[in-house]
Amino acid sequence: MTTQLLDGKALALQIKDEIAGEVRRLTAEGHRAPHLAAVIVGSDGASMTYVANKEKSSHEVGFTSSVYRMGEGTSEKQLLETIEFLNNDPDIDGFIVQLPLPKHIDEQKIINAISPEKDVDGFTPVNIGRMVLGEDCFVPATPMGICTLLRRYGIETAGKHCVVIGRSNIVGTPVANLLSRKGFDCTVTICHSRTHNLAELTRQADILVVAIGRPEFVTADMVKPGAVLVDVGIHRVEDSTKKNGYRVIGDVKHSEVDPMCSWVTPVPGGVGPLTIVSLLENTLKAYRRSMSKR
Ligand code: NAD
C-alpha cells in the first residue's frame, strides 16, 4: 500500500501565506493589523515553547502579538484581572490563556471569564455550545486543524466510520462532534479510558483519530489496513543523537503503523502546525467581526 502524508507543515505554510496576503491587503487599506495576545502563567517548558511558536507564527503573517508572562505564584484574582483587561482592550482581537495553569488556579473559572468574542481557542462554554448547535463560533484550534487537514487533502469522509480515541474537551470531544456533522458526515465512535475491547473498535475505523496522550500507544494490530490515521499526540523523549537532546513522538507507533495506512499525519509536522494556523484563522475572524462593528 502506498502511504501518503497529510503534511501539516506544508499545508500550514500555504494557509499562512493566504493569511499574510489578507493582512497585507488590510494594512495597505490603512487598517491596523489583527492582534493576538497570549497569557502564560509559570514557566512550564512545553507551554513556553507553544507560546513562542504562536508568537512566531503571528509575526510571520503580519499580526501584532503580545505575551503576558505571569509568575508561578500569580493568584486567581490577578489572572482574572488580566483577563478583564484583555476582554476590554479594543486593540486586542483575540487572546488565549495557555493551559495547563498552576494547580491553585481553577482552570474552568478562568476559561469562563474570557469574553466569547475574543475566545480564539474556542474553549468557553458559549463557543462550545454554539459549535454543538452548528452556529457560527470559534472552533477549538486542534479539532479545527484536523478538519482542515482532512478537507484540504480531499479525504473522503461521508459515511465513513471514524473512531476517536480520547474524549478531552479540547481535542477528542469536539473533533468527534465536528466530524459527525453535515459536511463531514462520518459515523463516529468515541473511545476513552473505560472503553472495553479498544483494539476491536479501532480496527473498524476508516479514519482513526488518536488523542490519548500516551507515547506510541497505537500499534499495528489496532489499525485497519488502508485507514486514514490522524495522530494528535505530542511527546518529547530523550535522544542523545539530537542537538537539543530530545525528539518528538506521537501517540502512534509510526514505524509499524504507517505502512498499513492510506494517509497519515506525521509527528512532528502533522496536526501541530495546523493547530497554530487555526488559532491565526480564528484571530482573523475575531478581527473582521470587531472591525465590522465599528
Ligand atoms: P487528555 O489527557 O486530556 O485526554 C486523553 C484522553 O485519552 C482521555 O479522554 C482519556 O479517556 C483517553 N485515554 C486515556 N487512556 C486511555 C486508554 N488506555 N484507552 C483509551 N482511551 C484512553 O489529552 P488531550 O489534551 O486530549 O491531548 C491528547 C494528546 O494530544 C497529548 O499527547 C497532547 O500533548 C496532544 N495534543 C496535541 C495538540 C497539537 O496541536 N498537536 C494539541 C492538544 C493536545
Side-chain angles (χ1 to χ4, degrees):
M1 156 138 344
T2 339
T3 308
Q4 300 190 74
L5 273 194
L6 291 164
D7 188 340
K9 203 171 163 188
L11 182 56
L13 277 177
Q14 187 188 326
I15 300 176
K16 277 201 243 176
D17 247 15
E18 293 164 13
I19 299 173
E22 167 103 28
V23 174
R24 274 195 302 275
R25 189 183 61 71
L26 287 161
T27 48
E29 285 172 4
H31 300 291
R32 69 162 173 80
H35 186 166
L36 171 65
V39 182
I40 180 166
V41 183
S43 52
D44 173 72
S47 292
M48 298 221 294
T49 307
Y50 293 144
V51 168
N53 285 339
K54 288 166 189 172
E55 202 180 6
K56 181 169 164 268
S57 296
S58 292
H59 288 143
E60 281 167 1
V61 296
F63 285 5
T64 306
S65 147
S66 37
V67 179
Y68 293 75
R69 292 187 175 81
M70 305 180 76
E72 187 75 34
T74 300
S75 69
E76 195 174 272
K77 182 166 175 282
Q78 285 169 320
L79 183 53
L80 286 169
E81 282 165 5
T82 304
I83 290 173
E84 185 63 13
F85 168 79
L86 295 169
N87 281 341
N88 291 312
D89 185 340
D91 287 334
I92 290 175
D93 300 295
F95 66 94
I96 61 141
V97 178
Q98 183 64 44
L99 303 179
L101 291 169
K103 294 270 177 290
H104 63 277
I105 298 179
D106 179 345
E107 230 164 63
Q108 196 56 48
K109 194 168 172 186
I110 297 302
I111 291 170
N112 291 354
I114 299 171
S115 160
E117 302 312 309
K118 296 195 178 187
D119 169 31
V120 286
D121 250 342
F123 289 169
T124 60
V126 170
N127 278 310
I128 301 274
R130 286 180 184 152
M131 181 193 74
V132 172
L133 293 170
E135 289 183 6
D136 187 32
C137 65
F138 295 116
V139 173
T142 303
M144 180 169 161
I146 294 169
C147 291
T148 303
L149 265 173
L150 296 176
R151 203 177 43 242
R152 292 250 195 164
Y153 273 94
I155 303 297
E156 209 181 295
T157 53
K160 301 290 178 193
H161 187 192
C162 173
V163 176
V164 178
I165 319 183
R167 59 176 165 187
S168 72
N169 288 341
I170 63 166
V171 189
T173 296
V175 83
N177 176 266
L178 293 166
L179 292 177
S180 70
R181 288 236 301 272
K182 271 203 164 58
F184 286 103
D185 300 297
C186 290
T187 303
V188 178
T189 300
I190 305 180
C191 301
H192 47 76
S193 51
R194 305 296 294 273
T195 296
H196 293 162
N197 306 326
L198 181 67
E200 222 171 84
L201 291 163
T202 57
R203 273 197 301 269
Q204 294 172 32
D206 303 309
I207 301 172
L208 181 60
V209 179
V210 190
I212 182 172
R214 289 169 181 240
E216 300 189 332
F217 180 91
V218 171
T219 44
D221 57 312
M222 298 172 75
V223 179
K224 171 167 144 178
V228 175
L229 178 83
V230 176
D231 184 358
V232 185
I234 303 180
H235 310 274
R236 280 183 185 186
V237 290
E238 270 182 39
D239 186 341
S240 56
T241 66
K242 300 281 175 193
K243 222 161 66 183
N244 50 15
Y246 69 87
R247 74 195 148 88
V248 176
I249 61 170
D251 285 353
V252 174
K253 196 158 192 186
H254 284 272
S255 55
E256 61 178 55
V257 175
D258 286 9
M260 304 170 59
C261 296
S262 53
W263 293 88
V264 292
T265 58
V267 177
V271 175
L274 261 298
T275 295
I276 296 190
V277 157
S278 301
L279 189 65
L280 301 176
E281 289 182 306
N282 276 345
T283 305
L284 189 57
K285 177 174 176 161
Y287 168 90
R288 284 203 202 98
R289 276 190 186 171
S290 85
M291 285 307 193
S292 69
K293 282 188 194 148
R294 287 185 189 184

